[in-house]
Amino acid sequence: MTHTLFAADALLPAGWTKNVLLSWNDAGQLTQVQAGAQPPAGAQLATGPVIPGMPNLHSHAFQRAFAGLTEHRAEQQDSFWSWRTLMYRFAARLGPQHMEAIATWLYAEMLEAGYTSVCEFQYVHHDTDGRPYADDAALSRALLRAAQNTGIGFTLLPVLYQTSGFGDQPPTEGQRRFIRSTESMLRLLDTLKPDCDAQGARLGLAPHSLRAVPPEALREALAGLDAIDRTAPVHIHIAEQTKEVDDCVEWSGLRPVEWLLDHASVDARWCLVHATHMNDAEYEYAAQSGAVAGLCPTTEANLGDGIFDFARWRSHGGAWGVGSDSHASVNAAEELLMLEYSQRLGRRQRNVGASAAQPHVATALTLEAVQGGAQAAGRAVGGLAAGQQADFVVLDAYHLALQGLSAPDMLSAHVFASHRTSAVDAVWVAGRPRVTAGRHALHGDAAAAFVAARTQLLKD
């Protein structure tokens, strides 16, 4: 059985195209994308322009529950590090039921905001006392259930975390729920692989950072991952903070990205999350490796991380995508807006994200972020093309910011002019409608469960 949708305007990999017929099979894979078509009898008609679903390449789901709760001064000069202390206090109380409730609401939010898949960087593994649960995979399975129940595409990235700083510094009390030996991590991956395969999710590995994973453990973990799946995605936090860079230089004589590229076989399966603080040589070296730069503009702004040199990365042909990380914002369009505006502020020029092929900033950024996000996810979700999954978003042509505009201008208005309101009408994942008239089917129930979980976690 073939399923179809006809769109008067659709954003294909080569750009905006008129009268597009999308066809997919029962598995949710696009079998044909036909331009210049006529709507066949019985075909569904898109109510507005159709754009590819956005992969969210970096998420810490539980952090959605304390978004907005750290916006007060905790130290004389607040930073990422003081924010992290507050985050640890919150993570210390989290249980599997809390995790599932928070993630279910978050993933419904993501779908409503134009994300169709997510890479979950999962580092809370153990019970509140630091001991493994009877089911060692309990928290990861809670996330898998949340993804399955909401219908979002999923890449699960269990996090290897062993030390609190460079040079094998012992973990702190606040990190006790994160810590795993390399052997324990590989056992967890073996346990989770059948679960992921059963629901069409992808399983990878996330060495947390160079400060949290010693060199020998990194080598052993990557070798073990290869024995399970040589194509599995690998994500790592790197060069997010200047202190991290300084500490890495003191430890090794090399900057973090430089050290990683010299000591690991970094290639297209890798996602370098943040990579904010690189020098000229690192930008070129990392881009040439084929790795994806995992940019999280709203979180990086919220934490005061710094500004990624997007134009420099692009000049070397670097792949990139966006994630919502700590979920201070859950909005695919807003990540693109923040990325563009940070570049404008840093460079004091406009329309930095436009390209020679795509003069509309929103169009250029959307197409590139979808490609990079799909690569980071390790899934066939790279846009509206045959062989890719039928993940797409229908914009609301009747939204005040979009009414009466051309399709490229509608996408521009969606990214730059629809603030605090949604210009997303419908969202499809694997050929199945997950959001209709702007709402996910679980919206009400998931929101109530989220509030209950957050309330319980915040009790003294």
Side-chain angles (χ1 to χ4, degrees):
M1 181 179 180
T2 300
H3 311 275
T4 58
L5 179 77
F6 179 83
D9 296 280
L11 182 55
L12 305 188
W16 284 102
T17 306
K18 291 284 188 182
N19 300 323
V20 174
L21 182 65
L22 303 173
S23 303
W24 60 92
N25 58 25
D26 285 347
Q29 183 184 63
L30 287 166
T31 55
Q32 185 178 31
V33 179
Q34 182 183 356
Q38 294 294 322
Q44 299 175 88
L45 304 178
T47 56
V50 175
I51 62 174
M54 182 66 71
N56 184 329
L57 57 61
H58 192 61
S59 166
H60 304 301
F62 79 91
Q63 293 182 15
R64 181 56 174 161
F66 70 92
L69 301 181
T70 61
E71 310 307 317
H72 58 274
R73 184 171 292 174
E75 297 183 2
Q76 186 60 35
Q77 185 170 341
D78 264 339
S79 67
F80 165 85
W81 306 101
S82 55
W83 170 89
R84 191 181 71 163
T85 299
L86 297 174
M87 182 270 287
Y88 283 175
R89 292 175 189 166
F90 188 86
R93 301 182 176 190
L94 191 73
Q97 290 182 321
H98 302 124
M99 179 72 89
E100 185 170 350
I102 294 165
T104 298
W105 168 243
L106 171 65
Y107 296 159
E109 272 192 294
M110 284 186 187
L111 286 160
E112 291 179 352
Y115 292 114
T116 49
S117 59
V118 60
C119 300
E120 186 61 46
F121 201 100
Q122 156 58 2
Y123 59 82
V124 184
H125 296 302
H126 302 312
D127 208 339
T128 54
D129 59 3
R131 298 178 183 177
Y133 287 98
D135 172 10
D136 192 35
L139 286 164
S140 290
R141 285 184 166 134
L143 292 162
L144 282 164
R145 287 193 298 271
Q148 187 168 42
N149 290 338
T150 57
I152 200 166
F154 203 60
T155 298
L156 178 61
L157 300 160
V159 173
L160 183 63
Y161 204 125
Q162 297 182 342
T163 59
S164 66
F166 294 101
D168 295 335
Q169 296 179 41
T172 67
E173 181 70 12
Q175 295 165 339
R176 64 185 178 181
R177 302 191 68 183
F178 314 157
I179 304 304
R180 279 189 180 273
S181 68
T182 308
E183 182 181 0
S184 168
M185 172 55 67
L186 295 176
R187 286 199 304 269
L188 178 66
L189 295 180
D190 278 329
T191 297
L192 289 169
K193 185 69 162 61
D195 294 3
C196 290
D197 290 347
Q199 71 181 66
R202 194 72 196 271
L203 180 66
L205 174 68
H208 179 273
S209 55
L210 294 183
R211 67 179 184 272
V213 181
E216 185 59 29
L218 180 62
R219 285 192 292 271
E220 291 176 359
L222 293 173
L225 179 67
D226 283 350
I228 298 169
D229 180 357
R230 295 191 64 84
T231 67
V234 180
H235 291 216
I236 187 169
H237 291 138
I238 199 155
E240 179 180 4
Q241 291 285 322
T242 54
K243 181 181 185 301
E244 177 190 350
V245 176
D246 294 343
D247 289 350
C248 188
V249 170
E250 182 179 353
W251 164 67
S252 69
L254 300 174
R255 298 167 61 85
V257 173
E258 180 184 15
W259 189 97
L260 182 67
L261 292 167
D262 281 353
H263 291 84
S265 298
V266 177
D267 57 18
R269 68 195 285 211
W270 284 71
C271 180
L272 309 181
V273 182
H274 305 304
T276 307
H277 300 287
M278 295 189 287
N279 61 25
D280 291 352
E282 287 174 304
Y283 271 102
E284 182 175 6
Y285 193 6
Q288 290 176 352
S289 75
V292 177
L295 310 182
C296 305
T298 61
T299 291
E300 289 152 7
N302 182 273
L303 297 178
D305 286 345
I307 300 175
F308 181 86
D309 194 337
F310 182 61
R312 187 181 303 278
W313 182 253
R314 263 174 142 194
S315 73
H316 295 300
W320 64 277
V322 293
S324 54
D325 194 350
S326 68
H327 314 300
S329 169
V330 182
N331 189 314
E334 192 164 298
E335 296 299 337
L336 300 183
L337 177 146
M338 183 64 73
L339 172 61
E340 171 66 19
Y341 280 2
S342 69
Q343 302 304 305
R344 294 184 187 191
L345 287 167
R347 290 179 169 267
R348 289 174 288 177
Q349 67 183 75
R350 300 190 72 248
N351 299 321
V352 178
S355 68
Q358 300 293 347
H360 282 80
V361 174
T363 297
L365 294 183
T366 297
L367 288 173
E368 292 181 26
V370 167
Q371 286 291 318
Q375 180 181 324
R379 303 177 66 245
V381 291
L384 303 180
Q388 299 297 301
Q389 188 165 284
D391 291 1
F392 50 84
V393 174
V394 182
L395 296 181
D396 181 4
Y398 298 99
H399 187 286
L400 182 61
L402 278 61
Q403 278 188 53
L405 303 180
S406 67
D409 286 339
M410 282 192 189
L411 181 55
S412 292
H414 170 55
V415 172
F416 293 107
S418 62
H419 314 311
R420 302 293 183 185
T421 59
S422 176
V424 171
D425 179 55
V427 177
W428 298 61
V429 180
R432 297 183 62 184
R434 295 298 183 179
V435 172
T436 303
R439 281 293 181 100
H440 191 281
L442 297 180
H443 183 103
D445 290 344
F450 168 82
V451 171
R454 182 176 62 185
T455 300
Q456 186 177 35
L457 288 166
L458 291 175
K459 283 182 179 178
D460 294 332

